[in-house]
Amino acid sequence: GVLTVACSAPAPAAGAVRACGQAADRVALSRRADALALMPDPAFAKGIAAAVATFTTERRTAVKAMAKASTRPAQARAADALAGAYTRLAGRVADTPPGPQARAAHADLVARARDAATAYQAMASAARAGNAAAWAARRSAAAAAHTRVQQALTALARVGR
């Protein structure tokens, strides 16, 4: 059979959720049963936080380079740097194993970061080709991909609350 214990409280009552979790931990399970933790895994949270902090620094540097880029080669280099930042974010997040509750949000973040990397690579290609129309379209696509990464980060953060 399945036993489900859920703890819920308004945000200011986080102590109530913690107390409920402690009570749920005292439920006796048979040897063949698996229990899922009610609270987020601190190691997972620490790994994701480190990945996001590194990404934020890398992205900020690349965005500054993009803002200063006045030639196609400089634009291509900046877009490549942005693609690299998203690729590394995807890799770092993928290397941080989630618990069962975070698997879907974790996989979505990895996929969205990879999509953003691809979008910035396309932007770099358009810059190298000197195709202004393609550059504008790819730039718009990259901005949308960045928004989806931010949404995926927000969704993953919600799992940890």
Side-chain angles (χ1 to χ4, degrees), residues 126-140:
R128 279 190 283 278
N131 186 332
W135 167 262
R138 302 304 186 270
R139 187 174 185 174
S140 179

Side-chain angles (χ1 to χ4, degrees), residues 11-119:
V17 173
R18 205 170 289 108
C20 178
Q22 291 168 347
D25 284 343
R26 290 190 283 264
V27 172
L29 301 173
S30 71
R31 293 178 197 256
R32 295 178 300 182
D34 292 323
L36 301 178
L38 295 174
M39 302 305 285
D41 177 7
F44 176 69
K46 184 177 179 180
I48 295 299
V52 171
T54 301
F55 164 73
T56 300
T57 300
E58 291 176 351
R59 184 178 181 281
R60 186 177 301 125
T61 300
V63 166
K64 286 179 184 177
M66 182 66 74
K68 293 179 184 177
S70 59
T71 65
R72 286 184 290 143
Q75 290 170 336
R77 283 191 302 276
D80 281 335
L82 282 160
Y86 284 96
T87 297
R88 287 185 293 279
L89 173 64
R92 289 180 186 117
V93 171
D95 289 345
T96 306
Q101 302 92 326
R103 277 192 192 122
H106 175 266
D108 188 52
L109 176 56
V110 171
R112 298 297 161 237
R114 287 178 179 151
D115 291 347
T118 299

